[in-house]
Amino acid sequence: MVAMLTNMGSTLSTSSNGWTGLVRRTLSMTACSLLLLGHPSFGADLSPTPLLWRTAPATSSSDQSPSPKKPSILREREIVFDELLVKALKDAAARPLSPIAVELFDAGRYELEVISTLARINDTSFIRGQLKPADPGDFSLVLNGTTVTGTFQLGRRVFKIEPLGNGRHRLIEIDPEQESKE
């Protein structure tokens, strides 16, 4: 590109050498700026907000007994929490928190905005907050050791987290109308 700019400058008359140099330098700086801004280390953030949990790897069917599905459960999946992020959530002194996100099936990805944390001596913490950018969207979590229970509400949609044991949990979407009948 610089060679092309140099050739363009050489075709201009010698009486405008001052302008030619200025134009050449300006175009070169513009081209370099555009190349740098397009580089992955500039501009958009490549590392998305870390997720509080991920989908658990599938286990063999002989390892778990099938539990009967309640009519109020719309969908479910097994999840495993990120231990470091759970520790950060439990630590009331570690505020402000780095961004933490959750994925709620097809409801999307939301960032947690912690409003209050209550920590107890017995390694139990109660966390309440809002989901960003959801309006209205809130959550409450109870963290006891490595066990997590909680509820996420997005408008009329309700999601729950239940512990399954051995560090595994279950994310469930609940049908509020069916749950009230049970």
Side-chain angles (χ1 to χ4, degrees):
M1 182 164 193
V2 174
M4 191 169 62
L5 293 173
T6 305
N7 288 339
M8 286 175 52
S10 65
T11 59
L12 295 174
S13 69
T14 56
S15 63
S16 61
N17 277 342
W19 285 105
T20 303
L22 178 63
V23 169
R24 189 178 311 139
R25 283 191 300 271
T26 303
L27 288 174
S28 295
M29 288 176 33
T30 303
C32 289
S33 297
L34 289 174
L35 288 173
L36 284 175
L37 289 175
H39 192 271
S41 64
F42 291 89
D45 185 12
L46 287 181
S47 59
T49 304
L51 289 172
L52 182 57
W53 64 72
R54 60 181 167 74
T55 301
T59 58
S60 66
S61 59
S62 63
D63 290 348
Q64 62 187 111
S65 59
S67 57
K69 188 174 178 181
K70 296 179 183 178
S72 62
I73 296 177
L74 295 174
R75 67 185 103 200
E76 63 184 299
R77 75 170 174 231
E78 283 192 31
I79 58 174
V80 177
F81 281 88
D82 182 312
E83 292 177 26
L84 294 175
L85 294 178
V86 169
K87 284 181 184 178
L89 274 174
K90 288 172 69 172
D91 187 0
R95 301 295 185 255
L97 280 174
S98 297
I100 299 174
V102 294
E103 282 186 346
L104 302 170
F105 299 106
D106 66 345
R109 185 179 184 129
Y110 297 92
E111 194 171 306
L112 303 180
E113 180 181 346
V114 174
I115 294 174
S116 71
T117 302
L118 177 61
R120 300 285 186 193
I121 295 173
N122 66 352
D123 199 26
T124 301
S125 296
F126 303 90
I127 316 292
R128 286 184 334 101
Q130 295 178 333
L131 299 171
K132 296 186 324 188
D135 189 34
D138 59 11
F139 70 93
S140 60
L141 296 171
V142 178
L143 312 169
N144 187 347
T146 58
T147 303
V148 180
T149 56
T151 304
F152 293 81
Q153 184 140 6
L154 286 169
R156 294 190 32 82
R157 294 179 78 176
V158 177
F159 304 87
K160 291 188 178 182
I161 296 173
E162 296 178 346
L164 296 173
N166 297 328
R168 295 172 88 82
H169 293 76
R170 181 168 63 160
L171 174 64
I172 303 167
E173 183 174 3
I174 301 293
D175 181 353
E177 293 174 13
Q178 287 292 329
E179 186 179 43
S180 63
K181 294 176 185 176
E182 289 179 1

